[in-house]
Amino acid sequence: MANAKAMLGSMLGRFLFTEAKVTQVREVSRAFRQIDWEGPALRGQGWSPGDKVQVFLPGLGMRTYTPLSWDEARGATAFLVYLHGDSPGAKWGRDVRTGDTVRFFGPRRSVALESGDAPVVLFGDETSFAVAHAFRTGAKRDVTPIFEVTRREDCAPALRELGFEGQDVERTAGDAHLAQVHERLREALRTKPGATLVMTGRAQSIQALRSRLRGDGERATSKVKAYWAVGKTGLD
């Protein structure tokens, strides 16, 4: 049964949200699909790499995604959707088809870089692939990402396509993998003087890694945006 928020969104959506048409749905791997949208309303939106879009899923409510790219002149955007289990966002990602209408709110500011050309060291997970790609291609930054992932084999095709092959660490029991993530982040920060540290994804991992990096004396400019937390919300 649709919840109250989803029902309200359905009633008000035609008045409050922007609409676009799905022009392509492409299988990247069994865990990821790329979904492209186009429409006149996407033109001149003032998108910046790292901005978010909130998509209205009928009967389910809102889910948040980071565009891979945004062509304001043509009125086109693209998303990499992580098909995580049976979550509402994953169900939508599996069911959406070319020609479908999507309603959304945004783009809105989420993770913003300071002006300039400082390199970026980024921590994240499967939900962070798009922001790393947007920073590299849209903001034209030197991006070194380290992603924690559940299954490397599921992520490899997407990471290879985005140019981030080998930049992942598979999760292990008790978060033991964070020791390796920490070492890779520390090394990246040391070899990229003046880098901005961007931390996204799972709140618990961000907290643990920030604590370790502070213990190392790392003082990089940082941007932090937790996308989800265990026990509070599932992955989209």
Side-chain angles (χ1 to χ4, degrees):
M1 181 180 295
N3 61 37
K5 186 179 294 186
M7 291 176 65
L8 179 62
S10 182
M11 290 187 289
L12 298 179
R14 69 184 64 184
F15 304 108
L16 299 179
F17 300 142
T18 302
E19 290 190 353
K21 287 285 187 182
V22 176
T23 56
Q24 178 176 262
V25 179
R26 183 171 63 86
E27 305 288 340
V28 177
S29 75
R30 67 181 181 182
F32 292 91
R33 294 181 109 191
Q34 180 174 324
I35 302 173
D36 298 350
W37 311 348
E38 289 188 22
L42 276 64
R43 297 173 187 154
Q45 285 283 349
W47 174 79
S48 296
D51 285 358
K52 66 183 178 181
V53 167
Q54 291 176 285
V55 182
F56 175 68
L57 309 185
L60 300 172
M62 306 294 291
R63 291 297 182 273
T64 302
Y65 297 96
T66 301
L68 287 164
S69 61
W70 197 292
D71 186 329
E72 295 189 44
R74 187 162 62 93
T77 186
F79 297 83
L80 185 68
V81 177
Y82 178 39
L83 308 177
H84 176 71
D86 296 321
S87 69
K91 183 179 186 305
W92 171 74
R94 293 187 184 100
D95 293 344
V96 69
R97 296 291 182 268
T98 299
D100 286 356
T101 296
V102 288
R103 292 191 178 116
F104 64 96
F105 185 68
R108 294 197 297 165
R109 190 57 55 90
S110 181
V111 183
L113 296 176
E114 302 295 338
S115 60
D117 58 0
V120 174
V121 174
L122 184 143
F123 166 73
D125 58 16
E126 296 93 340
T127 65
S128 308
F129 292 1
V131 71
H133 176 77
F135 284 159
R136 174 178 284 180
T137 61
K140 309 298 183 186
R141 296 296 184 92
D142 173 4
V143 179
T144 303
I146 297 93
F147 303 109
E148 60 170 352
V149 302
T150 298
R151 291 173 58 90
R152 297 192 73 185
E153 63 188 70
D154 291 346
C155 298
L159 291 176
R160 183 165 54 249
E161 186 170 305
L162 296 175
F164 297 133
E165 187 172 16
Q167 297 298 110
D168 55 328
V169 175
E170 197 166 73
R171 293 183 180 93
T172 56
D175 282 346
H177 67 285
L178 292 180
Q180 183 181 352
V181 174
H182 165 240
E183 289 300 321
R184 292 179 66 169
L185 286 173
R186 184 170 63 175
E187 180 62 20
L189 289 169
R190 288 179 177 174
T191 57
K192 302 284 184 179
T196 296
L197 173 63
V198 177
M199 307 195 79
T200 61
R202 187 173 63 131
Q204 287 87 345
S205 295
I206 292 171
Q207 292 165 2
L209 290 167
R210 289 187 79 192
S211 177
R212 293 189 187 204
L213 290 169
R214 286 196 194 102
D216 296 335
E218 296 292 348
R219 294 292 183 266
T221 300
S222 63
K223 304 283 184 180
V224 178
K225 182 69 175 181
Y227 291 155
W228 62 282
V230 175
K232 296 182 69 176
T233 182
L235 289 174
D236 288 339

